[in-house]
Amino acid sequence: MSTAIDITRETTPRRSALARTDRLRVLLSKPANLYRSWPFSNDFMRHIFPVAAATYPQLAGAAAKYRPEFLDGLFERMSPSEYLARAARADVVAMGVVSSMLALNTELTIQRIKALNPLCRIVLGGHHATLYADEWLRRGADYIVRGEGEEAFTTLLDRIDAGLVPRNVPGVSYRDHGEIHHNPAAPLAKDLDSVPMPDWSILNWDIYNLGVSNRGRSATIETARGCPFPCTFCSVSTMWNRSQRFKSADRVLAEIENVYARGVRQLVVGDDNFGAKPARDMVIFEEIARRGLDLSWWCFIRVDTVLRRPEFIRAAGRAGLRFAFVGYESLDDDILRQYGKDPSGRYSVSDYRTVFERLRAANVFVYGLFGRHAETRREKFRAWLSTRQVADITAQTSFIPIKGTPSAADLESRGYQVKNSFYQDRILPAFENDGRDQSSGFVLTALIDLFQPANFYRMWRGTWMQRQFFRRLYGGMLRDLAGVTPTRLRTLWTANRTARSLDARQNSIVSSMVKRLGAKASTRAAGSGIVSFWRRIDTAARHLLGRDFVAAPPRTVTIETTTRCTLDCPMCLRERDTAKPAEMTDDVFERVIGQVEHRAEHVVMYGLGEPMQDRAIVARVKRASDVGLGVQISTNAMRLDREKSAKLIEAGLRYMIFSVDSTNNAVYDQLRAGGDLETVVKNVRGFEVENASRGRPVHTTAQMVVLPENRGQVHEFDRFWRREGTNAVRFKTDEVRAHDPGTPARHERPCPV
């Protein structure tokens, strides 16, 4: 595929050395392991299956002319500081993000690398990055390669190396002058055999051992991409447009021979749906035997593949299949149909035992995968106790409603409170309803399965692979449990604060980790300590003595940058204001800032108008913050979208008040004519997410002006916004009484700011 060259150049340097003295330094990397939840880490499976993904050798083969290096932050035996120091030396760092579980570690890694080398370019790819491209660009990534990566990634490196903006590079999203751009999606490769061969020389083989055999190195290969099945909970079909493409038998055998020559005897077949092309696979199995390739390997496989092709499973066992993840998903036939797991109805739960028996007969260890969704509450406790009849062990995982999957939309349509799943913690539920979250229904059955006596027998007396598996499983649990720290205990406590919403709990975990790791500078100090202290003492003393003025300059200055507003609120003083709406000019704003610089400590940028109506509000917040002023804004949040939220926080905003007044749609419409409560709540949640990802530098307050119409909602308002994660909830009396023309405005005490 050819791509037209755009000669528009970037305005920022493309790397630390502006002169072309060497090649572009490209580092492929898994993120550093900076954050671990407790009692079990988000990346717990690293204890059981330490192996390198196929993604990085594949990209290294595609971008061979740049001779990229690889650094595995998950398995490499080095401290986080050593990892970050090495990563920051690169001009480009490319990372894959496939799961919400690892999103926080990825973001923390990005921020630390950027802090060490601001000119380093961060490229992200993978399922999660594709589905959340906008989010990642807001969180510090410079480029996102959506979907299939080889050609887009290589073309992107060419543009970066030439100092060009990657316009017209299909499948790439990027930031340019602060704006986010999404190029059209790249077409999928029609022939996977044409994809460059993986470059396995980039790996440090010593840090990997899959554990399905007692000999040889470990690697991952892919024989196909995608999956055509419409499982409602899975992001794979979304990523690959419900398609599956295959490499030829010759290409797969060439890749196997390649790694075999490097000493690999343990393989992961990384296909999302292995066995979908049985005629090809049977050729591969026969050739493995004919060529004398002594391999042990594992794969993901569907129930119907095992049921319909018993000879296929026997041949796979002879070719070295030793471990299979089987996607059972549910113990209820109706739920299977609802998941879209088997839309044609070719099998039922009663067939699971046959699947297990066939795999066991082929000498395959069966790991049964069950996704505990909302509907699994219907499944009987006794049924879960019988899972050993269909698997050697089960993984009863909580369903994560990833953006773009049908299940996520379905839950929301049925009234579930679905957490923003950009981040997901193992210790947090992903949704709740009627005060019950998803995790409470299966923790007990998962623990019972985990501590079956048969597990411990196999750990000491089973096959070599069984001993390895169970020793790694329980050893990993002990290592995670032994890693308890005060910070991790606080994280666990935060995750279980049921009085707060799931999003608020997640945001609190994110912000605490950002602050702890210093990933992003948080609040700016305003005022000089000793001068500020004595100024406050003087102000308090004069107030207590009844003085009419304060000699020192004011601590807080109000600057009205606009009197425009889109809402019509009966309690607002604008009801009595007859002046024509206007905006402050830049020269007036500069003169005011110049007068209060080094004198005031805080500036309040609102009055009669809505600050989001000021087109220069972000620049003005930054100007005031840069001279040491703590900036406060009050907004009705109608125009506070995610992009503006991020810009305001980055500009140095310190305090944000959300003037909402009600959580009831009818009352809100009465008090905030022209607004929309659902839009406001969505925008506030977006601000809280952006704020949390930066360590919560902005103190947020939800505010209600108490009026006869909303007086009975005070407790509900307080509970709602505290669950949403605002730092404070404030109730304000109607000081101006603008809604009552017969009563003069009150001036006994000032309107609180």
Side-chain angles (χ1 to χ4, degrees):
M1 181 179 68
S2 61
T3 304
I5 296 293
D6 188 316
I7 61 172
T8 305
R9 293 193 172 271
E10 296 179 311
T11 58
T12 54
R14 61 183 175 85
R15 56 175 123 167
S16 53
L18 297 181
R20 288 299 308 271
T21 58
D22 58 0
R23 60 184 173 85
L24 192 71
R25 293 165 298 192
V26 178
L27 178 70
L28 307 174
S29 178
K30 286 185 181 178
N33 201 6
L34 299 172
Y35 164 64
R36 293 182 183 176
S37 56
W38 192 87
F40 302 115
S41 55
N42 283 354
D43 55 356
F44 179 80
M45 295 303 286
R46 78 186 191 281
H47 296 303
I48 306 176
F49 302 115
V51 66
T55 305
Y56 301 100
Q58 189 68 60
L59 289 176
K65 66 180 178 181
Y66 291 103
R67 290 180 286 166
E69 297 179 354
F70 176 61
L71 181 60
D72 194 327
L74 194 60
F75 293 113
E76 198 70 56
R77 298 180 183 92
M78 61 172 58
S79 68
S81 58
E82 291 174 317
Y83 166 91
L84 292 167
R86 179 175 166 186
R89 291 197 292 268
D91 299 311
V92 176
V93 174
M95 294 183 281
V97 197
V98 296
S99 167
S100 296
M101 290 283 193
L102 301 179
L104 180 52
N105 261 332
T106 303
E107 181 176 349
L108 294 172
T109 300
I110 291 171
Q111 293 189 10
R112 292 307 303 145
I113 291 173
K114 288 282 192 178
L116 293 170
N117 180 8
L119 296 180
C120 180
R121 302 303 178 87
I122 304 294
V123 182
L124 297 183
H127 294 70
H128 193 274
T130 296
L131 296 174
Y132 290 96
D134 284 272
E135 303 282 342
W136 279 114
L137 290 171
R138 293 191 188 104
R139 281 162 171 72
D142 298 293
Y143 309 98
I144 307 296
V145 176
R146 310 187 315 273
E148 204 157 48
E150 289 91 349
E151 185 169 356
F153 179 61
T154 305
T155 307
L156 175 61
L157 290 180
D158 292 341
R159 298 297 176 88
I160 295 172
D161 194 33
L164 302 176
V165 176
R167 295 189 179 94
N168 303 322
V169 179
V172 170
S173 299
Y174 62 97
R175 290 181 300 164
D176 184 31
H177 295 88
E179 300 296 324
I180 291 176
H181 302 270
H182 300 289
N183 295 338
L188 298 177
K190 295 180 180 179
D191 179 14
L192 289 184
D193 284 5
S194 66
V195 173
M197 288 286 285
D199 178 4
W200 292 99
S201 67
I202 65 171
L203 292 191
N204 173 11
W205 296 100
D206 296 336
I207 61 177
Y208 305 114
N209 184 358
L210 183 58
V212 293
S213 173
N214 60 355
R215 60 190 179 279
R217 291 174 169 176
S218 304
T220 302
I221 66 168
E222 61 167 12
T223 78
R225 290 181 184 175
C227 180
F229 291 94
C231 300
T232 61
F233 53 83
C234 185
S235 61
V236 171
S237 58
T238 303
M239 170 87 165
W240 300 110
N241 300 323
R242 286 191 60 183
S243 68
Q244 187 170 12
R245 294 159 297 140
F246 301 87
K247 295 178 180 177
S248 68
D250 288 340
R251 169 59 186 257
V252 173
L253 288 165
E255 291 195 28
I256 292 175
E257 292 270 21
N258 185 8
V259 295
Y260 198 85
R262 296 176 180 272
V264 170
R265 300 295 182 269
Q266 304 178 68
L267 275 180
V268 172
V269 177
D271 302 4
D272 295 302
N273 178 29
F274 181 73
K277 199 166 186 176
R280 181 208 64 169
D281 296 338
M282 292 294 281
V283 172
I284 294 172
F285 299 157
E286 292 169 2
E287 281 298 306
I288 287 175
R290 190 184 69 80
R291 300 181 189 188
L293 303 179
D294 183 13
L295 293 169
S296 299
W297 51 281
W298 67 256
C299 68
F300 295 93
I301 197 165
R302 286 176 56 90
V303 168
D304 51 345
T305 300
V306 181
L307 286 174
R308 289 186 290 117
R309 301 186 178 95
E311 75 289 347
F312 177 84
I313 298 304
R314 290 192 292 269
R318 291 193 297 270
L321 178 61
R322 294 293 173 262
F323 193 106
F325 282 94
V326 180
Y328 292 126
E329 308 304 346
S330 176
L331 293 171
D332 184 288
D333 287 329
D334 291 336
I335 295 175
L336 279 180
R337 305 291 96 77
Q338 184 175 337
Y339 286 0
K341 184 66 182 177
D342 181 34
S344 60
R346 289 175 295 185
Y347 67 87
S348 67
V349 171
S350 62
D351 294 314
Y352 286 176
R353 184 174 294 187
T354 301
V355 171
F356 183 42
E357 290 172 351
R358 287 181 179 175
L359 288 168
R360 288 292 301 274
N363 197 27
V364 178
F365 185 92
V366 178
Y367 203 147
L369 302 180
F370 291 92
R372 304 304 296 268
H373 203 302
E375 291 76 12
T376 56
R377 299 186 191 283
R378 294 168 30 191
E379 297 168 342
K380 303 299 182 183
F381 181 80
R382 183 175 296 177
W384 286 106
L385 297 182
S386 64
T387 54
R388 281 308 171 94
Q389 298 175 14
V390 301
D392 289 293
I393 193 169
T394 64
Q396 299 178 29
T397 58
S398 57
F399 164 67
I400 302 174
I402 295 295
K403 176 181 179 180
T405 59
S407 282
D410 175 63
L411 284 171
E412 290 181 332
S413 70
R414 289 189 285 127
Y416 281 81
Q417 292 77 53
V418 180
K419 188 177 77 64
N420 182 337
S421 292
F422 178 85
Y423 308 107
Q424 181 60 42
D425 240 276
R426 186 177 295 279
I427 55 179
L428 261 177
F431 53 85
E432 59 186 353
N433 192 21
D434 295 330
R436 298 179 67 191
D437 63 55
Q438 69 176 142
S439 64
S440 58
F442 71 89
V443 171
L444 181 58
T445 59
L447 288 174
I448 290 173
D449 188 64
L450 188 62
F451 291 105
Q452 289 275 352
N455 298 352
F456 297 97
Y457 176 81
R458 292 181 184 179
M459 185 169 65
W460 297 109
R461 304 290 295 178
T463 65
W464 187 90
M465 192 197 69
Q466 290 172 349
R467 296 198 305 272
Q468 285 293 306
F469 175 83
F470 286 108
R471 289 175 184 179
R472 290 179 176 188
L473 172 65
Y474 295 120
M477 292 174 60
L478 291 174
R479 283 195 292 274
D480 275 3
L481 286 168
V484 60
T485 64
T487 298
R488 290 170 186 167
L489 284 176
R490 285 195 298 271
T491 299
L492 182 64
W493 177 78
T494 299
N496 287 279
R497 292 181 64 186
T498 55
R500 306 187 76 188
S501 71
L502 296 175
D503 279 321
R505 285 182 253 172
Q506 184 73 77
N507 290 343
S508 182
I509 291 171
V510 172
S511 63
S512 66
M513 292 308 304
V514 171
K515 285 182 178 179
R516 176 176 172 269
L517 294 172
K520 198 104 178 179
S522 57
T523 57
R524 292 176 169 86
S528 56
I530 191 67
V531 174
S532 174
F533 173 75
W534 285 111
R535 180 183 298 171
R536 296 181 190 194
I537 293 293
D538 179 71
T539 300
R542 289 174 182 273
H543 175 73
L544 292 173
L545 293 172
R547 301 291 174 84
D548 293 331
F549 67 93
V550 176
R555 290 182 54 239
T556 302
V557 174
T558 298
I559 303 177
E560 177 84 31
T561 67
T562 182
T563 57
R564 302 179 190 277
C565 187
T566 55
L567 304 189
D568 185 13
C569 307
M571 82 294 286
C572 183
L573 192 58
R574 290 172 57 84
E575 296 295 303
R576 299 184 181 183
D577 184 46
T578 59
K580 182 179 179 181
E583 291 187 4
M584 179 179 285
T585 62
D586 290 339
D587 60 331
V588 171
F589 181 82
E590 283 297 325
R591 286 204 303 272
V592 174
I593 290 295
Q595 291 171 12
V596 300
E597 182 180 358
H598 306 309
R599 294 179 174 85
E601 296 179 30
H602 302 280
V603 60
V604 176
M605 287 192 186
Y606 66 92
L608 298 181
E610 163 56 44
M612 298 305 108
Q613 292 288 103
D614 180 359
R615 289 170 291 185
I617 189 63
V618 173
R620 288 172 173 176
V621 168
K622 186 176 188 307
R623 177 74 176 92
S625 177
D626 286 346
V627 299
L629 294 167
V631 185
Q632 175 176 300
I633 283 178
S634 178
T635 178
N636 59 43
M638 277 296 296
R639 296 195 173 187
L640 187 68
D641 58 26
R642 288 288 293 277
E643 184 177 355
K644 181 160 284 187
S645 294
K647 288 180 178 179
L648 285 169
I649 297 168
E650 293 286 350
L653 184 67
R654 288 281 300 279
Y655 308 97
M656 175 65 91
I657 298 172
F658 306 116
S659 296
V660 186
D661 296 323
S662 178
T663 54
N664 177 280
N665 280 290
V667 176
Y668 178 88
D669 291 343
Q670 186 178 355
L671 297 179
R672 295 259 163 189
D676 178 75
L677 183 57
E678 290 185 3
T679 299
V680 168
V681 172
K682 174 186 174 184
N683 289 346
V684 173
R685 286 172 175 166
F687 187 95
E688 291 289 350
V689 171
E690 296 292 343
N691 196 23
S693 72
R694 293 162 173 80
R696 297 194 67 83
V698 183
H699 184 280
T700 58
T701 300
Q703 179 175 282
M704 171 194 281
V705 177
V706 181
L707 299 164
E709 295 87 344
N710 61 10
R711 194 178 305 278
Q713 301 171 18
V714 166
H715 296 297
E716 177 188 348
F717 188 91
D718 183 74
R719 284 195 301 270
F720 179 84
W721 288 111
R722 289 192 187 280
R723 277 181 58 79
E724 289 299 321
T726 57
N727 294 106
V729 180
R730 187 169 73 185
F731 298 95
K732 178 179 172 183
T733 58
D734 181 18
E735 286 90 356
V736 298
R737 295 187 180 179
H739 67 295
D740 186 358
T743 305
R746 296 172 60 189
H747 295 291
E748 290 87 359
R749 56 193 176 93
C751 179
V753 294

